[in-house]
Amino acid sequence: MFNKTTFTRFRKDENGQYAIMTAILSLPLLAASSAVLDFTSATSEHKAVKNALDNAVLAAATNNSVSNDQKEELARKHFRGNYSGRADVSLDPYAKDGMVSMVASGIVPFSVSRAFGKDGIKIKTKSAALRSEQNIICVLALAENEDESIKFSGGLEFLAPECSVHTNSVSHKALMSKTDTMPIAKSFCATGGVDGAFSPYAKGECLLVEDPYLNTQLPEIGSCVSELKFKKPKKKGRDDDDDDDDDDDDDSSPYGGGSSEAGSEIEESENGTGSYATLLPGTYCGGLTVDGRSVTFLPGDYIMLDGALTFKNGAQAMADGVTFAFSGEKSRLKIESGSNVRVKAPASGPRKGLAFMEMADLRKKKKDKKGKKKEKKSIANTISSGGRLEVLGTVYFPTQALVVEGEGSRMGAKAPATSFIAHTIDLDGSAGSRVQVNVNHRAANLPPILPRAENGAILIE
């Protein structure tokens, strides 16, 4: 029977107190433990989101072939492809002037804490990447198996202190220097090996650089520009040239024969124009020979179809907002005999930044190339015999060679932004020949020079 003595004994009995205390404290302990687990999970998710953001903005910032809107979409796509965590993330990308940033915000869902009325932990982080102006490739050889795919020889002086020279060739002598004066660039790099002296020291075993214009839209070949717009040059081998024919002011003066310098194997077009001519964009069937002063090319695409574009006998020509496109086996560029040519590429449009371009379905060629033997070298595009070329933009011959040679040949000294991309590049001039490459695209009012070297963008946030 329960009495005072029994109650006193019960009140003083301490057996089972820890079980009671554990039962009372189990709920807050469980809440605290789950909170620790959820906080650890949120920290891990935050790190995963930040890593995916970093990769996304770097990928978008280094892609210079798309618009800012497309870069923003590329950053989103790249993030979604690299993040597979638990957080429900919303993205806010922004691209301008070579910089791409993106903010990610969302909630990491609780695992246990949801039972206590909480949905999750909010996270928010930001990454930003800036395209590096210090890693521009301004001379690029795309050939992957050629010896001496980029070669400097003779008395040629080469200066490119603000940009890099790169060859994709895996040959043990992919990059060659045999000049009296060491070539100078920001850096020299070859996928294969190096032979010769460079300043600074050239590196081998570099990564392959992708063709930045692989997917460039080709201009449309239209009907031929009327031959009535040209006067015909004399056939090669004619001996009836007289002294009057050398007067550049006389638009009726006939053309002389081809140069005896290297590159004379390029067949000269019979379509021609003399001094004080203004030419319109279009398809020039059989090519064009320019032999005169004050020749102006109005803005647009000039397609040389199955014929060469030749500047000769001291020709002087200006082309602003122009892309010269070459289609067909006989379509080549030849600048010779002291000709003075200045070409500025379009600043906008599908071929922005391209001053000279070979028209080729490069995507198909890339597929067909697999497993096939090395193709025979084609006739080169040449600048010779003291020819001068000022290009604001890119000279692009992805399956053809570019050769600069002769006495006093000049390229690039006055052009603020130039690059050369070709299958192979041969720079071979005697004393007095000089190639200078500058890459200030802002001064030229052109898109950034492509491509970029390794690490072409850096994280700034």
Side-chain angles (χ1 to χ4, degrees):
M1 182 176 183
F2 188 79
N3 54 32
K4 184 177 180 180
T5 302
T6 304
F7 178 77
T8 301
R9 189 183 302 115
F10 175 78
R11 182 172 59 83
K12 292 182 178 181
D13 190 354
E14 296 181 352
N15 290 332
Q17 62 178 315
Y18 292 107
I20 296 172
M21 291 176 63
T22 300
I24 295 172
L25 294 175
S26 61
L27 193 60
L29 285 173
L30 179 61
S33 298
S34 64
V36 170
L37 291 173
D38 285 328
F39 179 79
T40 302
S41 175
T43 301
S44 177
E45 289 296 329
H46 184 280
K47 184 176 180 180
V49 169
K50 176 63 174 172
N51 287 339
L53 271 184
D54 288 347
N55 290 330
V57 296
L58 282 170
T62 54
N63 190 327
N64 297 307
S65 62
V66 298
S67 67
N68 285 332
D69 288 343
Q70 290 172 317
K71 285 185 179 183
E72 293 174 3
E73 185 58 34
L74 178 63
R76 284 193 189 94
K77 183 178 180 180
H78 203 280
F79 178 88
R80 299 297 184 194
N82 284 274
Y83 177 70
S84 58
R86 298 169 53 236
D88 182 13
V89 179
S90 62
L91 301 171
D92 183 18
Y94 176 74
K96 185 178 180 181
D97 297 334
M99 187 273 292
V100 178
S101 66
M102 189 158 62
V103 176
S105 56
I107 295 178
V108 180
F110 284 142
S111 54
V112 180
S113 302
R114 183 182 295 273
F116 300 96
K118 299 291 185 181
D119 293 329
I121 298 177
K122 292 182 179 181
I123 61 171
K124 186 175 183 178
T125 186
K126 179 182 179 181
S127 293
L130 179 67
R131 184 181 62 244
S132 173
E133 299 294 340
Q134 304 303 316
N135 294 305
I136 303 167
I137 295 178
C138 54
V139 178
L140 172 63
L142 296 171
E144 296 182 9
N145 296 290
E146 299 285 353
D147 293 339
E148 302 178 3
S149 60
I150 296 181
K151 182 174 71 173
F152 303 91
S153 55
L156 178 87
E157 182 181 6
F158 178 84
L159 296 172
E162 300 173 349
C163 57
S164 301
V165 175
H166 186 101
T167 170
N168 281 342
S169 176
V170 297
S171 165
H172 69 282
K173 49 181 180 178
L175 181 61
M176 173 74 71
S177 174
K178 297 179 179 178
T179 58
D180 299 333
T181 304
M182 278 195 300
I184 297 173
K186 183 173 180 62
S187 66
F188 294 91
C189 211
T191 302
V194 176
D195 189 356
F198 298 86
S199 179
Y201 179 78
K203 296 185 296 182
E205 299 183 354
C206 296
L207 295 177
L208 184 143
V209 173
E210 291 293 333
D211 180 353
Y213 297 105
L214 178 65
N215 297 311
T216 298
Q217 179 182 335
L218 302 180
E220 184 177 350
I221 298 175
S223 57
C224 300
V225 173
S226 172
E227 294 183 3
L228 296 177
K229 295 180 181 291
F230 311 114
K231 63 185 182 60
K232 296 290 185 179
K234 287 188 175 182
K235 299 286 187 181
K236 290 182 181 179
R238 288 186 61 173
D239 297 321
D240 54 351
D241 292 347
D242 55 34
D243 293 339
D244 292 337
D245 293 337
D246 295 329
D247 186 0
D248 287 329
D249 292 328
D250 181 3
D251 281 355
S252 63
S253 64
Y255 294 89
S259 169
S260 61
E261 296 289 342
S264 59
E265 66 271 28
I266 297 177
E267 185 176 340
E268 189 176 299
S269 173
E270 292 189 357
N271 298 326
T273 184
S275 298
Y276 309 110
T278 299
L279 301 178
L280 298 174
T283 301
Y284 287 72
C285 299
L288 179 67
T289 299
V290 180
D291 186 2
R293 295 184 299 182
S294 299
V295 177
T296 302
F297 292 85
L298 296 181
D301 295 321
Y302 291 77
I303 300 171
M304 301 297 134
L305 181 61
D306 294 321
L309 173 62
T310 303
F311 298 89
K312 59 181 294 183
N313 295 335
Q316 298 175 1
M318 294 282 292
D320 194 343
V322 164
T323 297
F324 289 106
F326 300 81
S327 178
E329 289 298 321
K330 295 182 179 181
S331 187
R332 296 291 185 272
L333 170 66
K334 185 178 183 183
I335 300 176
E336 61 170 46
S337 302
S339 298
N340 193 336
V341 182
R342 186 179 188 273
V343 180
K344 180 179 179 181
S348 60
R351 288 164 290 284
K352 61 185 179 183
L354 287 172
F356 297 91
M357 70 173 294
E358 175 193 355
M359 292 176 64
D361 189 346
L362 299 178
R363 288 164 292 187
K364 182 176 184 299
K365 283 180 179 290
K366 199 167 185 178
K367 291 178 183 178
D368 291 346
K369 180 176 142 182
K370 199 171 184 180
K372 287 191 175 183
K373 294 181 179 179
K374 185 167 58 176
E375 293 182 0
K376 184 180 180 181
K377 286 186 179 180
S378 61
I379 297 174
N381 301 277
T382 64
I383 300 172
S384 59
S385 304
R388 295 171 184 263
L389 174 63
E390 299 294 341
V391 176
L392 283 74
T394 297
V395 179
Y396 178 62
F397 293 105
T399 71
Q400 299 173 0
L402 175 64
V403 176
V404 180
E405 63 182 1
E407 183 177 350
S409 295
R410 298 280 173 151
M411 291 181 72
K414 297 179 181 179
T418 307
S419 71
F420 304 100
I421 302 175
H423 186 67
T424 60
I425 299 173
D426 188 353
L427 304 169
D428 181 11
S430 60
S433 295
R434 183 175 185 175
V435 173
Q436 180 172 330
V437 185
N438 305 306
V439 287
N440 189 341
H441 69 276
R442 291 187 177 90
N445 191 28
L446 288 173
I449 296 297
L450 299 178
R452 301 283 158 165
E454 300 165 27
N455 302 320
I458 57 173
L459 288 170
I460 58 175
E461 189 171 349

